[in-house]
Amino acid sequence: MAARHVGQVLFVKELCDDDIPEYLSMLSQTVCTILGIKSHADEAWYLAQRLEKIKEGSTFFVCIFEYATETLIGAVEIRDPSYRSQLYNWINESYWGNGYYQEALSLAVKDYFDQYPDQTTITACVDISNKRSYFALKKFGFIEFGIIKGPVEDQYQLVYSRTQ
């Protein structure tokens, strides 16, 4: 297993080929629906592209693991700042509501800013109907700065600053 960044109950590590089968098995229909993922085949293609971008240094992508069981439970990607929404993330719904998301995001954001010291902000877009994600990002410290037209519905635009 590659180098890990450990929290209280989770650890994160950079996405690698070996993680993809477990990643796809934990990517539930509930999460796919929320994120607009059409199929596991589409997500597998996306992950292959991410592995190339990791090699290029043009994306930051970590998988989230429960420390006690070493079970992959989600992922956090922070894309190049040219993306409308840098943040792409999910946690399997079996792990919702227990603080895992806050810890995972904390580990990932710290690692991102350490790896990319010239970056000062992270942007996120969240569908208006996705209140769970919206409030989780606000709790973490993201600030809403507008509403924009999204691919499916209007979206909140949020930003997190490394100075927070």
Side-chain angles (χ1 to χ4, degrees):
M1 196 169 274
R4 319 183 219 191
H5 305 281
V6 180
Q8 296 286 327
V9 294
L10 303 175
F11 68 90
V12 297
K13 72 174 189 69
E14 189 173 83
L15 172 71
C16 67
D17 283 321
D18 293 343
D19 297 323
I20 293 175
E22 188 175 8
Y23 178 109
L24 293 173
S25 75
M26 290 300 285
L27 185 64
S28 68
Q29 187 57 52
T30 298
V31 172
C32 286
T33 299
I34 291 168
L35 294 178
I37 298 169
K38 291 181 175 58
S39 71
H40 280 181
D42 286 352
E43 189 70 2
W45 178 87
Y46 182 78
L47 293 174
Q49 301 304 308
R50 298 301 99 183
L51 288 169
E52 288 302 314
K53 291 191 173 291
I54 289 168
K55 287 178 191 167
E56 296 167 2
S58 62
T59 200
F60 173 89
F61 199 121
V62 293
C63 294
I64 305 162
F65 293 83
E66 186 179 44
Y67 186 72
T69 63
E70 295 196 0
T71 301
L72 189 154
I73 65 166
V76 176
E77 180 182 14
I78 303 172
R79 299 177 277 218
D80 180 273
S82 65
Y83 279 80
R84 179 173 81 98
S85 177
Q86 289 175 270
L87 188 64
Y88 173 78
N89 62 102
W90 62 272
I91 288 184
N92 180 283
E93 68 273 14
S94 299
Y95 299 88
W96 291 356
N98 56 16
Y100 282 18
Y101 181 74
Q102 296 297 314
E103 182 173 321
L105 200 53
S106 179
L107 291 168
V109 165
K110 181 189 179 316
D111 291 348
Y112 172 77
F113 284 136
D114 287 349
Q115 188 171 332
Y116 298 95
D118 58 323
Q119 298 302 315
T120 58
T121 60
I122 299 168
T123 60
C125 292
V126 178
D127 287 345
I128 295 285
S129 64
N130 190 349
K131 299 298 186 195
R132 176 179 285 279
S133 291
Y134 173 77
F135 287 116
L137 290 172
K138 295 279 287 180
K139 181 178 180 179
F140 185 77
F142 277 78
I143 297 169
E144 182 185 335
F145 69 95
I147 295 177
I148 60 168
K149 195 84 163 148
V152 176
E153 63 181 274
D154 285 348
Q155 295 182 317
Y156 295 108
Q157 277 187 307
L158 301 125
V159 66
Y160 181 83
S161 173
R162 85 168 32 233
T163 59
Q164 292 173 300

